[in-house]
Amino acid sequence: MSPFVAPVPEPDSGLERQAIIDLSAIANNIRHLRELSAPAQFMAVVKADAYGHGAVQVAQTAVAAGAQWLGTAHIAEALALREAGIDAPVLSWLHTPLSDFTAAVANNIDLGCSGWELEHIVGAVRALERPARVHLKIDTGLGRNGCSREHWSALVDAAMGYQREGLIRVVGVFSHLAVADAPERPETDEQLERFREAVAVAEAAGADLEVRHLANTPATLSRPDTHFDLVRVGLGIYGLSPFPDRTSAQLGLVPAMTLATHLALCKNVPAGQGVSYGLNYVTAAPTTLGLVPMGYADGIPRVATGGPVRVNGITYPVVGRIAMDQMVIDLGPHAEVAGAVSDSGSEAGPDVAAGPALGATAVLFGNGHDGGPLVEQWADAAGTINYEVVTRISQRVPRSYTGGVECTGGDQ
Ligand SMILES: *Cc1c(COP(=O)(O)O)cnc(C)c1O
């Protein structure tokens, strides 16, 4: 059940192509997810430009909706939030020796630490004469970032030594789950057990932890036993489902991004017309083609032929190859289409039934409340996941925002 009725965002007719971000949907998704995860605190993960939704706008919305924390992968992403005037607690967890730890400490950004970072953090602290807040990361089984279990005690001891010197404060212990999107798999239980052990080691060494945290979106939704003191939620706040077999609506979430443009051409063609590079699609009968002026430079996967485009309430699959700037839909054998230009160059008369026409709004995906296409259909067409589709919508597509913080109203 959806926690609120989301209107379908209206594309701004002044924009040729746009990703409309419904901030009230994000605020409501956060409120819904907070209800599921309370009393744990809530971190809105806004890395990668908030999964393509706009980091600053989403971060401001998240804080207003009650998120106590923000999360980014990179320090540079966290610094951009600070530059925008956002002073909520921020944690960054993916560093290289080239990361600007000094700027992070100077800007009060909490730092994830898997091991080697500790000396870099302490170096920045000594230069600034200002302590750092550190969250130690344990690899409980994902096999990526995080301290391996055999080195955990040594990392904890080193960090607690620096804490006694007043250089850092160990405020958190965290880890990341590998298969939380498949709740039936046993590895999450193993990771949970290893996480508890790692926390116990830190606490036995004297760490007075503010936050122990493990859960991402799928674990927040399906495993309350992973919530601990803080959940780190990315995908869910954008209204998308992490589970292959459960929709946003079934989870009470509303997709926040609508991707829309306007048809660049409607053209009547005869049977046998090949379409787009490779001529992989050939019209079976006389028909009207609609030209959608978005392509892989806008972040639409080139392999996603068959992805849905909604025009005038009807959803059409993309036919032929998706190119850098454009793709084509087959609008069907309308005898005549208003505004369409036939190959002979004659305009359809003004009295013919209105069909899709030059300039008609074309929606690639949205919140689905009008039965329109969903980002998951594009993910399926491209052989990927919803995370990747929204995150890769490129900067060539302007973002526009609706439902800002002041409009979200309380409970609805
Ligand atoms: C990206 C990320 C998250 C958020 O994951 P979602 O599945 O989008 O909720 C949480 N924690 C860490 C460490 C991450 O890198």
Side-chain angles (χ1 to χ4, degrees):
M1 285 290 290
S2 173
F4 73 111
V5 178
V8 173
E10 272 294 309
D12 176 341
S13 52
L15 286 171
E16 294 188 280
R17 49 190 75 72
Q18 60 188 315
I20 311 161
I21 311 303
D22 182 352
L23 295 174
S24 67
I26 291 175
N28 280 293
N29 292 330
I30 289 172
R31 290 191 195 105
H32 178 60
L33 291 158
R34 280 185 68 210
E35 276 169 28
L36 297 179
S37 53
Q41 295 181 56
F42 193 93
M43 177 186 291
V45 177
V46 296
K47 63 190 178 187
D49 201 27
Y51 296 36
H53 295 67
V56 169
Q57 289 87 347
V58 170
Q60 287 167 338
T61 301
V63 170
Q68 297 94 336
W69 291 78
L70 300 168
T72 68
H74 303 173
I75 287 172
E77 295 174 313
L79 293 173
L81 300 177
R82 290 286 185 258
E83 272 156 35
I86 296 167
D87 55 12
V90 183
L91 171 66
S92 299
W93 52 73
L94 183 62
H95 317 299
T96 72
L98 302 183
S99 298
D100 193 346
F101 293 99
T102 304
V105 175
N107 285 278
N108 200 26
I109 292 159
D110 285 28
L111 292 166
C113 173
S114 297
W116 65 265
E117 301 95 329
L118 191 58
E119 299 306 323
H120 291 250
I121 295 168
V122 166
V125 164
R126 291 191 203 276
L128 290 166
E129 299 185 24
R130 181 192 167 131
R133 290 166 51 88
V134 173
H135 300 234
L136 298 178
K137 185 166 193 183
I138 173 83
D139 181 358
T140 54
L142 179 60
R144 294 192 329 200
N145 212 353
C147 179
S148 56
R149 285 188 294 155
E150 51 174 324
H151 297 125
W152 180 246
S153 288
L155 175 60
V156 167
D157 289 346
M160 292 310 294
Y162 288 130
Q163 175 163 316
R164 281 189 294 275
E165 284 183 58
L167 296 171
I168 68 168
R169 195 166 133 57
V170 178
V171 297
V173 166
F174 74 121
S175 188
H176 197 35
L177 294 168
V179 295
D181 55 331
E184 70 287 354
R185 287 185 63 165
E187 293 95 334
T188 299
D189 288 325
E190 291 165 22
Q191 287 198 262
L192 188 54
E193 183 53 34
R194 290 172 187 171
F195 184 66
R196 289 205 173 95
E197 287 166 15
V199 167
V201 167
E203 289 177 339
D208 177 20
L209 302 173
E210 288 176 19
V211 282
R212 302 162 296 163
H213 46 113
L214 179 60
N216 53 4
T217 295
T220 298
L221 290 164
S222 70
R223 291 291 300 251
D225 54 345
T226 63
H227 291 177
F228 292 94
D229 307 303
L230 172 67
V231 296
R232 304 186 306 266
V233 184
L235 193 74
I237 75 174
Y238 308 106
L240 302 181
S241 169
F243 304 114
D245 55 352
R246 291 165 80 186
T247 65
S248 296
Q250 287 169 339
L251 297 171
L253 301 172
V254 174
M257 184 188 289
T258 297
L259 187 64
T261 182
H262 300 272
L263 293 185
L265 184 65
C266 275
K267 183 163 71 176
N268 294 337
V269 297
Q273 173 71 57
V275 174
S276 193
Y277 297 128
L279 304 177
N280 297 338
Y281 180 79
V282 179
T283 57
T287 189
T288 303
L289 299 177
L291 186 62
V292 180
M294 295 183 95
Y296 61 78
D298 303 289
I300 306 304
R302 180 175 174 275
V303 297
T305 296
V309 179
R310 176 104 142 173
V311 182
N312 286 3
I314 299 174
T315 301
Y316 305 90
V318 170
V319 296
R321 220 175 260 169
I322 293 174
M324 184 183 291
D325 310 303
Q326 48 195 304
M327 58 181 115
V328 174
I329 52 179
D330 185 342
L331 297 166
H334 307 279
E336 294 284 348
V337 172
V341 183
S342 73
D343 271 358
S344 63
S346 64
E347 287 270 348
D351 51 347
V352 298
L358 174 66
T361 299
V363 175
L364 282 72
F365 56 82
N367 69 17
H369 282 200
D370 55 353
L374 294 167
V375 69
E376 286 77 16
Q377 294 170 266
W378 282 98
D380 288 346
T384 184
I385 54 175
N386 49 10
Y387 288 77
E388 185 176 357
V389 175
V390 290
T391 302
R392 291 181 70 151
I393 298 305
S394 79
Q395 289 305 316
R396 191 163 80 165
V397 181
R399 272 58 173 175
S400 60
Y401 292 88
T402 92
V405 172
E406 67 285 357
C407 319
T408 53
D411 301 322
Q412 300 177 40

